[in-house]
């Protein structure tokens, strides 16, 4: 591969997988003046992007349309044109199977597709989250299947993505990226490519260290959130306000980071990556019991919360079965439209299993699919709110008018501490 410098006209970057990770990267490369080829197997997504409509909140339609117009970005489902790219970045999903095990099928499919068109001098960078060793033991042999040698005929690097969808202060361009290479030359070329996009690079000595670092970052969050979720349950049983406990502990200027309780942990990363870590640890004969237990604690939160709602209603002389419950917020976190692994949806399922009439409202989501049904979002007006037995504030989207909600809701179960400033008579806190 010839070396990439900012604005170098001939450099062409291929991005495979145009989701939350790949699309922002492809757009950034286009904005920086590179010739970008975006590949996604999902024809609906390709059609949506080609019509100028972005499904990722961090990518504006305006930027996408401008790049389509100038021809800086082209989007398709076929791999053949990757042959002309200098760099190919893999951003395909690495989810879990139905058996809760790492699912590398998309990654293997993508790498085989790239191997079929791989040519001398190309740099392949894997950004998808994987267990330590996967870049070298799975990706490399698939790319070498045609006889080309990694580090000599083509170059291979791993650079885990740290994107935090919806985060306005830490984005792709101001969050340093870890980069590791199969060889020093691979590392050098990958560093150059990210630096040319204006991204700070932190080089890491081995591929496995970079792979493990990504799992550490996310498993760390899963374990700490599980701890605070467990602490919330203990505090509730002992009649101590967990939110005030966290605020008090947070005054310590060192050695403490705040985590908050909630309905569980969602998204494509944290709950999934923690399983990638613990499965890999078990496969290596060292069970990661803490991470495994954290998963159990976080996954059990919807059941715990359904139990709490039952207690709350009982204290008002009502039973859970047959009650009207409105859940506010079904995405996995605030201010984004991503429903993947959303714990609020698990809470809705649990409440329905227990016989509640559950409805939901979310400004970002018009419909959700449950095990055997689809549920449309309600129209959030005074009539809807007043007839509820309990309103559950599950995700604190900043668009909610909390004062209005307070005025009309008979009872609010606040999982977010968003109602802290209101008189507490009709508010119950997690
Ligand atoms: N979403 C995040 O916040 C985030 C953050 C850091 C890391 N990651 C990791 O990045 C990777 C991608 O995650 P994402 O959130 O962008 O996933 P995503 O599901 O949003 O996007 C992946 C895209 O890849 C496409 N795809 C699947 N198989 C393909 C193939 N063989 N060829 C071409 N396209 C294919 C899918 O259609 C989809 O559009 C995962 O490993 C994830 O763990 C995600």
């Amino acid at each position: 591969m010839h070396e990439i410098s900012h604005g170098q006209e001939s450099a062409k970057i291929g991005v495979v997988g145009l989701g939350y990770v790949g699309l922002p990267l492809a757009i950034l490369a286009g904005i920086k003046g590179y010739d970008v080829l975006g590949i996604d197997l999902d024809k609906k997504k390709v059609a949506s992007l080609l019509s100028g409509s972005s499904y990722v909140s961090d990518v504006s339609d305006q930027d996408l349309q401008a790049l389509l117009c100038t021809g800086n970005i082209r989007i398709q489902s076929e791999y053949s044109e990757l042959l002309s790219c200098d760099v190919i970045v893999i951003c395909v999903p690495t989810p879990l199977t139905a058996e809760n095990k790492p699912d590398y099928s998309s990654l293997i499919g993508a790498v085989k597709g790239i191997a079929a068109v791989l040519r001398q001098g190309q740099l392949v960078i894997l950004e998808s989250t994987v267990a330590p060793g996967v870049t070298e033991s799975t990706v490399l042999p698939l790319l070498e299947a045609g006889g080309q040698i990694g580090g000599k005929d083509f170059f291979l690097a791993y650079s885990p993505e740290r994107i935090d969808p919806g985060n306005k202060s830490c984005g792709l361009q101001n969050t340093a990226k870890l980069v590791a290479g199969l060889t020093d030359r691979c590392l050098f070329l990958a560093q150059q490519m990210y630096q040319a996009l204006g991204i700070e690079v932190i080089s890491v000595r081995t591929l496995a260290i970079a792979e493990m670092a990504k799992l550490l970052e996310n498993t760390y969050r899963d374990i700490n959130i599980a701890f605070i979720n467990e602490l919330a349950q203990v505090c509730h049983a002992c009649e101590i306000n967990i939110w005030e406990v966290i605020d008090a502990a947070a005054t310590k200027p060192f050695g403490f980071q705040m985590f908050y309780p909630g309905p569980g942990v969602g998204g494509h990363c944290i709950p999934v990556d923690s399983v990638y870590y613990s499965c890999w640890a078990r496969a290596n004969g060292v069970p990661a019991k803490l991470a495994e237990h954290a998963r159990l604690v976080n996954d059990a939160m919807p059941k715990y919360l359904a139990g709490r709602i039952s207690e709350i209603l009982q204290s008002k002389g009502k039973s859970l079965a047959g009650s009207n419950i409105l859940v506010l917020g079904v995405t996995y976190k605030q201010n984004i439209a991503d429903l993947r692994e959303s714990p609020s949806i698990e809470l809705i399922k649990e409440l329905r299993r227990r016989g509640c009439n559950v409805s939901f409202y979310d400004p970002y989501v018009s419909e959700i699919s449950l095990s055997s049904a689809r549920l449309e979002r309600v129209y959030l007006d005074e009539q809807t709110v007043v007839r509820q037995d309990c309103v559950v504030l599950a995700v604190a989207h900043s668009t909610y008018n909390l004062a209005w909600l307070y005025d009309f809701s008979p009872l609010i179960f606040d999982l977010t501490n968003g109602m802290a400033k209101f008189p507490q008579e009709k508010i119950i806190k997690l």
Side-chain angles (χ1 to χ4, degrees):
M1 196 197 97
H2 47 76
E3 282 151 33
I4 288 187
S5 61
H6 178 78
Q8 183 181 313
E9 273 175 31
S10 57
K12 183 165 173 181
I13 298 176
V15 179
V16 178
L18 298 174
Y20 287 88
V21 168
L23 187 59
L25 179 72
I27 296 294
L28 175 63
I31 289 171
K32 292 284 180 187
Y34 292 99
D35 190 6
V36 179
L37 176 66
I39 308 278
D40 201 292
L41 289 188
D42 185 332
K43 294 215 157 61
K44 275 196 195 143
K45 284 188 172 178
V46 169
S48 160
L49 294 174
L50 288 175
S51 74
S53 169
S54 160
Y55 38 74
V56 172
S57 60
D58 297 333
V59 169
S60 73
D61 290 352
Q62 214 183 2
D63 283 346
L64 171 65
Q65 287 161 12
L67 293 171
L68 287 168
C69 233
T70 55
N72 275 54
I73 189 164
R74 283 179 314 109
I75 293 164
Q76 60 192 48
S77 290
E78 298 75 38
Y79 276 55
S80 53
E81 261 193 71
L82 284 173
L83 180 72
S84 61
C85 291
D86 300 291
V87 185
I88 301 170
V89 189
I90 306 173
C91 306
V92 297
T94 44
L96 297 173
T97 62
E99 293 75 39
N100 217 31
K101 297 274 183 303
D103 178 356
Y104 288 116
S105 57
S106 292
L107 176 61
I108 290 171
V111 177
K112 284 184 175 170
I114 294 165
V117 297
L118 191 69
R119 65 160 171 80
Q120 280 252 325
Q122 283 181 316
L123 166 65
V124 178
I125 305 177
L126 176 61
E127 286 208 359
S128 302
T129 305
V130 295
V134 166
T135 308
E136 197 156 353
S137 65
T138 304
V139 175
L140 178 64
L142 289 172
L143 291 175
E144 288 182 333
Q148 300 189 71
I149 305 294
K152 183 169 161 271
D153 301 315
F154 68 92
F155 304 98
L156 179 62
Y158 181 69
S159 179
E161 182 47 63
R162 286 172 157 169
I163 207 162
D164 181 16
N167 187 329
K168 301 279 180 234
S169 50
C170 296
L172 192 50
Q173 273 201 284
N174 65 351
T175 307
K177 252 175 129 357
L178 302 179
V179 180
L182 178 67
T183 62
D184 288 348
R185 179 80 183 148
C186 297
L187 171 62
F188 172 74
L189 291 171
Q191 276 175 320
Q192 258 204 330
M193 125 91 193
Y194 288 113
Q195 281 163 352
L197 298 182
I199 298 171
E200 187 192 336
V201 167
I202 296 165
S203 65
V204 172
R205 200 170 48 77
T206 68
L207 295 166
I209 292 172
E211 292 164 330
M212 187 73 241
K214 174 67 189 176
L215 296 188
L216 164 61
E217 288 170 18
N218 282 353
T219 308
Y220 165 83
R221 289 190 63 76
D222 202 35
I223 288 174
N224 279 287
I225 295 167
F227 174 51
I228 215 77
N229 276 334
E230 191 177 72
L231 197 71
Q233 297 176 43
V234 173
C235 281
H236 169 68
C238 302
E239 298 182 6
I240 298 170
N241 183 320
I242 179 71
W243 304 96
E244 289 177 56
V245 171
I246 296 168
D247 285 347
T251 59
K252 186 180 176 190
F254 57 91
F256 181 80
Q257 189 185 1
M258 277 188 288
F259 287 89
Y260 296 104
V265 177
H268 180 42
C269 284
I270 296 174
V272 174
D273 298 355
S274 170
V275 176
Y276 270 61
Y277 163 62
S278 52
C279 285
W280 171 79
R282 268 198 186 270
N284 282 281
V286 194
K289 289 184 190 156
L290 190 60
E292 288 174 357
H293 187 69
R295 278 288 69 242
L296 296 177
V297 170
N298 287 331
D299 280 350
M301 282 309 283
K303 274 204 172 73
Y304 167 74
L305 293 173
R308 285 281 303 274
I309 295 168
S310 175
E311 272 173 28
I312 292 165
L313 291 178
Q314 265 173 20
S315 73
K316 308 280 174 202
K318 297 178 180 181
S319 69
L320 189 61
S323 60
N324 294 325
I325 312 278
L326 172 65
V327 174
L328 293 181
V330 291
T331 56
Y332 84 84
K333 69 172 185 173
Q334 63 190 41
N335 303 330
I336 59 160
D338 196 340
L339 289 171
R340 289 179 297 178
E341 320 285 331
S342 170
S344 300
I345 294 182
E346 292 308 311
L347 174 61
I348 290 174
K349 286 183 190 165
E350 185 61 28
L351 290 169
R352 280 166 62 101
R353 269 195 288 273
R354 297 187 190 203
C356 306
N357 304 313
V358 192
S359 52
F360 86 91
Y361 176 80
D362 191 303
Y364 296 94
V365 181
S366 55
E367 197 182 62
I368 54 172
S369 67
L370 303 168
S371 316
S372 57
R374 295 192 75 75
L375 198 60
E376 277 182 30
R377 121 181 118 192
V378 287
Y379 185 68
L380 192 64
D381 62 3
E382 189 185 321
Q383 278 176 335
T384 303
V385 174
V386 292
R387 67 162 185 267
Q388 302 301 322
D389 295 299
C390 183
V391 173
V392 181
L393 184 56
V395 183
H397 292 306
S398 49
T399 51
Y400 292 139
N401 182 342
L402 296 179
W404 176 87
L405 189 67
Y406 179 81
D407 284 344
F408 294 108
S409 305
L411 183 67
I412 299 174
F413 185 28
D414 180 9
L415 313 185
T416 69
N417 205 29
M419 307 297 296
K421 293 197 180 78
F422 292 88
Q424 296 296 296
E425 304 88 65
K426 58 179 180 179
I427 294 170
I428 304 202
K429 289 177 178 222
L430 168 61

